[in-house]
Amino acid sequence: MVYHVQFPGLGLEFTINRVALSIGGFNIYWYGVIIAVGMLLALLYAFRYAPDFGIDSDRLVDVVAIGTVMAIVCARIYYVAMAPFEYQSVWEMIDIRLGGIAIYGAVIGAFVFGGLAAKWRKVPLLPLFDLVALGFLIGQGIGRWGNFVNQEAFGTNTTLPWGMYSEGTKAYLQSVQVTLPAGMTVDPNMPVHPTFLYESIWCLVGFVALALYVKHRKFHGQIFLLYAIWYGLGRGWIEGLRTDSLLIGNTSLRASQLVAYLSVLVAFALLVAGVRRAKGKTLMVTLAVRDIQKEAQAADRFSPDALPASASHAEFVAATEAMNDRLASLDLDALDIEELEDPEPEENAPAVEEQDSEQGEPASEEAAPAVASEVPASADEEKE
């Protein structure tokens, strides 16, 4: 499918082919390519800055893999549950090639199942959420351009200079006139809000702001809460412009708009409580231990180091490497020097005392004269 996209107010025109590459009759779409690029950049950021959050990158791989798969699954489940039509079979429900995924489903799935995987792989949960939230803003900011290629996720008519028009917007608006939310009217022949662009800019600005603030965070989980507030506020008003919103049942309530505003309220309440608890305290980040099994075995002789959250990335990397080198060089088979020098004589003392008691002789200094009296007298004493 090829679209001729126009921005009349800006004098811009683009011809876009949804297919990026065809191999043996198999089409690779730009939508998938763009989503993959967004995910890749998010992962690169997460793995690079994992030490700053006390997260081991090797264990993070498992968490990300599980979270990514379940994000896709939950994004589809969310869309199918809210879809304004009935699927004819289970196969249609799971055939993601037919389109239909919801970003809030992906967010929920990623954090819920990623959190469970973090518990399994012993990755600190709240620092993980902080790091993943930053990655989500990258992925969402870039991934929304897939909607531009598909000419979807746009809004109502607008006279603003950046209003967008194409065969895709016209055909879609002509087909959904009877299913539009109550009170919404659109002219298929007029430019529409490029809401994908609004959300992309909103997410990327949010990423820059939170990335600059991350070294000033007050408690673990704060970046995640700020993400929920920032994205929720943006998604709330952007969702109100869209013409393809998923509605709750037969009502005119937009599902994603409701979820967005509820998440803002909950996150704001938790943010206020967290800031109050953290007042006057310095947030410390426990460094990531690479060999958690050896750490457990050496619990009496090793404890992880910590740095303030405000420390630089270079400091976190250097300190984490030094700590893990120290753990690796620790000889768990070596006897404690104190054990060699101190055979713990105290343990024998009660036994001796008990033995004296059984013989009817007190284990005290008073026994000394009795012992001395039993010594034979000297020769002079015998003469006397």
Side-chain angles (χ1 to χ4, degrees):
M1 174 68 72
V2 176
Y3 292 120
H4 184 63
V5 185
Q6 304 174 52
F7 292 87
L10 299 176
L12 299 176
E13 297 184 8
F14 303 93
T15 299
I16 300 175
N17 190 338
R18 290 180 56 197
V19 178
L21 183 66
S22 294
I23 303 176
F26 180 79
N27 293 331
I28 299 176
Y29 290 89
W30 278 114
Y31 181 87
V33 172
I34 293 172
I35 294 293
V37 170
M39 290 178 60
L40 177 61
L41 292 177
L43 291 176
L44 290 175
Y45 178 88
F47 284 116
R48 174 177 172 77
Y49 288 99
D52 299 42
F53 294 83
I55 297 173
D56 178 62
S57 57
D58 290 338
R59 297 201 298 278
L60 181 61
V61 172
D62 296 330
V63 176
V64 167
I66 293 173
T68 300
V69 172
M70 295 310 299
I72 297 172
V73 172
C74 291
R76 182 61 175 176
I77 292 174
Y78 187 104
Y79 183 85
V80 170
M82 300 291 179
F85 55 86
E86 294 184 2
Y87 287 89
Q88 300 302 313
S89 67
V90 175
W91 295 114
E92 283 189 4
M93 293 182 181
I94 64 177
D95 190 357
I96 200 170
R97 296 175 302 173
L98 299 176
I101 57 174
I103 189 62
Y104 259 122
V107 172
I108 294 170
F111 281 103
V112 170
F113 289 96
L116 294 174
K119 288 291 186 182
W120 165 56
R121 294 296 285 133
K122 293 181 172 57
V123 173
L125 188 61
L126 292 180
L128 171 69
F129 281 8
D130 286 337
L131 179 61
V132 171
L134 290 166
F136 254 96
L137 288 172
I138 296 174
Q140 290 171 268
I142 295 174
R144 276 301 177 190
W145 284 90
N147 299 134
F148 170 65
V149 175
N150 282 357
Q151 284 295 282
E152 60 189 6
F154 47 81
T156 55
N157 297 134
T158 180
T159 57
L160 293 171
W162 48 82
M164 179 182 70
Y165 172 82
S166 72
E167 307 95 319
T169 62
K170 179 179 180 180
Y172 176 79
L173 293 178
Q174 286 177 335
S175 68
V176 298
Q177 288 295 312
V178 296
T179 61
L180 290 174
M184 178 180 289
T185 58
V186 291
D187 184 346
N189 298 301
M190 295 293 293
V192 296
H193 283 284
T195 50
F196 75 89
L197 176 62
Y198 300 166
E199 190 166 332
S200 174
I201 294 173
W202 186 266
C203 289
L204 294 178
V205 169
F207 165 74
V208 173
L210 293 185
L212 292 174
Y213 177 76
V214 73
K215 291 298 181 182
H216 305 284
R217 65 191 189 278
K218 307 301 181 184
F219 60 92
H220 295 302
Q222 184 181 12
I223 300 300
F224 168 69
L225 294 177
L226 289 173
Y227 159 79
I229 293 171
W230 178 262
Y231 181 68
L233 289 174
R235 182 58 186 267
W237 72 266
I238 293 172
E239 188 70 21
L241 298 174
R242 287 177 56 168
T243 56
D244 61 343
S245 296
L246 296 174
L247 304 180
I248 299 177
N250 296 322
T251 71
S252 59
L253 294 175
R254 301 166 187 259
S256 292
Q257 197 171 41
L258 181 62
V259 172
Y261 288 140
L262 286 176
S263 66
V264 169
L265 293 176
V266 174
F268 183 77
L270 293 175
L271 179 65
V272 171
V275 170
R276 287 179 177 175
R277 286 196 303 268
K279 188 175 182 179
K281 301 177 182 178
T282 299
L283 177 63
M284 301 299 293
V285 177
T286 302
L287 302 185
V289 174
R290 187 175 300 118
D291 190 343
I292 55 177
Q293 291 184 345
K294 189 170 185 179
E295 177 197 11
Q297 294 171 356
D300 57 337
R301 284 179 281 176
F302 174 85
S303 59
D305 299 330
L307 286 179
S310 58
S312 68
H313 173 65
E315 289 175 315
F316 270 106
V317 172
T320 300
E321 287 298 320
M323 181 193 69
N324 280 294
D325 288 343
R326 176 162 56 87
L327 177 60
S329 63
L330 188 63
D331 187 358
L332 298 180
D333 296 327
L335 292 175
D336 235 334
I337 296 177
E338 294 181 1
E339 293 180 359
L340 294 175
E341 293 179 349
D342 185 4
E344 300 182 356
E346 294 83 0
E347 295 182 0
N348 297 328
V352 174
E353 189 172 325
E354 183 179 351
Q355 183 178 359
D356 291 341
S357 299
E358 290 177 356
Q359 293 175 356
E361 297 180 1
S364 64
E365 293 181 358
E366 295 178 358
V371 175
S373 65
E374 294 178 5
V375 179
S378 62
D380 292 337
E381 291 173 341
E382 290 178 355
K383 288 179 181 181
E384 294 177 356

